[in-house]
Amino acid sequence: PGANSDPIILGLQGQVFKFEGRNGGWYSNLSNKHLQWNMQFRQFSTCPAGEDMFVSGLSISVEDSNILIATTPEATEACRSDPGAVCLGEGTLHLSFDGGKTFLSKPGDYHFSSRNRVVAHNTYSACSRKWHDYEVSKNERRLGNIRDGGRRSTVVEKKPLQLLKDAKTTMINSIDCESWIENRVLNNDLFQQRGHWSTLYVETPHVSFHIEYRRSDWFDPKCEFQSLDAWMTKVSNEMEQTEWYGILGETKHKIYSKETGEQIKTDRYQLLRGKDDSDYEVSGPLHTEFAAGSEKGFVSLMMDTIVASS
């Protein structure tokens, strides 16, 4: 479950729908007492109309810290000027652990705050993730899997290469990728790999993410874009029991058609209680307030709808 490129929302109960947004806007994808997950949209003029909006920025805020994931059209000066530098997305993908004050673009295994972690490396295209699932923490029941499977949680922190191996079954071409992984293990050079595409694993006590950074074809850019696809891979039982808000958060429960009795899966206007995209817009990457963001906000939206229709 998560948000993908154009931007397509992959819901928690099998829903798949498009959310338009506006160029440069930040939107709340999931909000609860343990997590604020925002995403930024960017429009790319060289792409076909209706297919030109992509998720190009992400922020993940947990109880004691946050990470901001940003993209830039051009590589940073440090990555451009040093021919020996290895940078995420060839210098166009950047991480900040201090609210956007400073950014880094180097692959690595980063620990931020006391219990949070990001593993970031460039990836071979065959190893990019192709499908989406999440599981509730060990020994707890599962919710809303699009497919069975997924990783098991452990109390021992996994090595970066083990994270890559564990995700092999979800990759675009697991056979081609296996050879690439074996070479990385043999040479112990995962963080020395260059590439235009990157993979990030984000781990916190309550939620884990798998994030793929993709760019347009470097040699034949018919549609020049930068895209961040993000999926939750695991949530804690404690977080699952809370009320969820936001675009993805509202897909936690199934909604059925009154006419047919079938589950609604594709109609954004029936799936989301906020009828305007702006109902989910936040004022910045680390902000938490939005019109549809609480029961109070929901009541206000309903009152506005009643007044407008009267």
Side-chain angles (χ1 to χ4, degrees), residues 29-204:
N29 199 34
L30 199 160
S31 178
N32 59 40
K33 64 183 292 186
H34 299 293
L35 169 70
Q36 181 71 37
W37 171 11
N38 295 337
M39 54 187 180
Q40 185 184 38
F41 294 176
R42 187 187 304 163
Q43 193 169 23
F44 293 84
S45 59
T46 60
C47 298
E51 301 176 10
D52 54 357
M53 193 77 77
F54 292 82
V55 176
S56 61
L58 294 172
S59 68
I60 298 169
S61 301
V62 291
E63 292 160 343
D64 57 352
S65 59
N66 60 70
I67 175 175
L68 179 59
I69 303 170
T71 62
T72 53
E74 303 294 334
T76 62
E77 176 60 29
C79 293
R80 288 199 309 269
S81 60
D82 183 358
V86 177
C87 299
L88 292 168
E90 296 292 353
T92 62
L93 178 64
H94 321 284
L95 310 177
S96 176
F97 301 106
D98 58 8
K101 297 177 182 177
T102 60
F103 286 88
L104 56 88
S105 305
K106 185 178 179 180
D109 188 351
Y110 299 100
H111 291 74
F112 63 106
S113 185
S114 58
R115 299 183 295 168
N116 306 320
R117 179 191 189 198
V118 176
V119 175
H121 62 82
N122 291 319
T123 195
Y124 174 45
S125 60
C127 297
S128 189
R129 187 182 174 99
K130 68 175 179 181
W131 54 268
H132 337 277
D133 69 327
Y134 85 81
E135 63 179 23
V136 179
S137 296
K138 191 175 182 181
N139 298 324
E140 302 290 351
R141 66 184 181 87
R142 297 163 67 90
L143 168 70
N145 292 312
I146 294 180
R147 296 199 183 192
D148 290 332
R151 303 187 194 91
R152 295 181 180 179
S153 62
T154 67
V155 294
V156 179
E157 186 174 85
K158 294 182 179 180
K159 299 295 185 183
L161 280 167
Q162 188 60 50
L163 289 171
L164 184 60
K165 287 182 178 179
D166 286 352
K168 188 173 65 175
T169 58
T170 70
M171 293 169 180
I172 290 174
N173 190 327
S174 59
I175 296 175
D176 284 355
C177 183
E178 185 170 10
S179 176
W180 188 80
I181 294 176
E182 289 175 354
N183 286 330
R184 302 292 71 75
V185 174
L186 180 65
N187 299 321
N188 192 27
D189 62 354
L190 179 63
F191 295 139
Q192 281 73 57
Q193 295 303 299
R194 298 177 181 275
H196 296 284
W197 289 17
S198 305
T199 296
L200 295 86
Y201 306 95
V202 180
E203 297 180 338
T204 77

Side-chain angles (χ1 to χ4, degrees), residues 14-26:
Q15 307 95 329
V16 181
F17 61 96
K18 190 170 182 178
F19 187 91
E20 299 290 346
R22 68 173 181 84
N23 184 37
W26 280 92

Side-chain angles (χ1 to χ4, degrees), residues 224-235:
E224 296 186 14
F225 70 89
Q226 294 170 288
S227 170
L228 287 167
D229 296 346
W231 307 278
M232 290 188 301
T233 56
K234 184 177 64 181
V235 302

